[in-house]
Amino acid sequence: SGSSSGGGGGGGTPPTPPAPPNAGSFEPAGDGFVKIIPPTTGIAGVAPDYTLPEDEDYWKGVFIKDRKVKLSPYKLGKTEVTYELWHEVRTWAEGKGYVFANRGKEGSGGTEGAAPTDTGKKEPVTMVSWRDCIVWCNAYTEKAKGIEHCVYRKSKTDTTVLKDATDRTACDAAYADMSKKGFRLPT
């Protein structure tokens, strides 16, 4: 049946046409994640409509005009990491040899490192660095799946799991082992 659009010419809302067979899609994956299914034909880069620093290709990344990128399906968190989850994993991890440079805050008004509050626990964690985040991803992976699934390692040859966000040199040289199925940042 369909509902009337109220405008002229022809009864009811037209049906949504089916997506082309190679179009991307997404679907709920459970546990707060969404499964992203990229287009099977890949995604073409589009040149930015603003000036990039120094105009070097390095800065352009995926924005190189007509660059073709193909991705496998992946899962992405439905929301930012909540302070409640961050705090739970961080406090667990600190007892397992993990070190964080920043303890995180509850949204924009929380107190650094404090226990989650009823009113703010679902707000995103803030005031954390990229290094804190890769170490936290390893901690979340170890807690949920086991240390053998951790993605962030010291290097391709030194497979030691990164656990110290204050070790700037080790974190900045981190190797992301994409054969591991642990939690990681989007690339």
Side-chain angles (χ1 to χ4, degrees):
S1 67
S3 61
S4 174
S5 62
T13 304
T16 303
N22 63 350
S25 63
F26 62 92
E27 58 193 43
D31 293 340
F33 288 86
V34 173
K35 184 175 183 180
I36 311 291
I37 302 144
T40 55
T41 56
I43 301 164
V46 176
D49 58 1
Y50 52 89
T51 304
L52 294 164
E54 301 171 36
D55 199 34
E56 294 178 15
D57 281 349
Y58 169 83
W59 293 104
K60 292 181 182 177
V62 296
F63 298 109
I64 296 171
K65 184 173 175 9
D66 299 325
R67 176 182 181 217
K68 195 77 148 191
V69 178
K70 286 190 176 183
L71 300 173
S72 301
Y74 59 95
K75 290 192 224 175
L76 187 66
K78 241 173 126 169
T79 67
E80 296 93 339
V81 172
T82 64
Y83 183 71
E84 180 178 41
L85 179 60
W86 173 274
H87 185 270
E88 175 192 328
V89 171
R90 182 187 55 77
T91 54
W92 173 89
E94 287 173 336
K96 303 281 188 274
Y98 287 86
V99 178
F100 296 87
N102 305 284
R103 301 180 73 205
K105 272 178 59 172
E106 193 175 73
S108 61
T111 302
E112 186 177 352
T117 65
D118 285 340
T119 56
K121 65 187 177 185
K122 298 297 182 196
E123 291 185 26
V125 62
T126 59
M127 304 305 290
V128 292
S129 71
W130 176 84
R131 295 178 192 101
D132 290 313
C133 292
I134 66 169
V135 166
W136 184 89
C137 284
N138 276 349
Y140 188 25
T141 299
E142 181 177 349
K143 183 177 188 299
K145 302 177 178 218
I147 196 167
E148 67 275 13
H149 298 287
C150 289
V151 171
Y152 298 106
R153 309 294 177 128
K154 285 198 172 179
S155 74
K156 191 170 187 171
T157 54
D158 181 351
T159 58
T160 305
V161 171
L162 288 175
K163 289 188 168 192
D164 185 353
T166 66
D167 185 343
R168 297 172 65 101
T169 302
C171 287
D172 290 353
Y175 172 70
D177 184 344
M178 296 304 194
S179 73
K180 304 297 182 187
K181 299 302 177 202
F183 300 101
R184 63 175 177 83
L185 299 176
T187 56

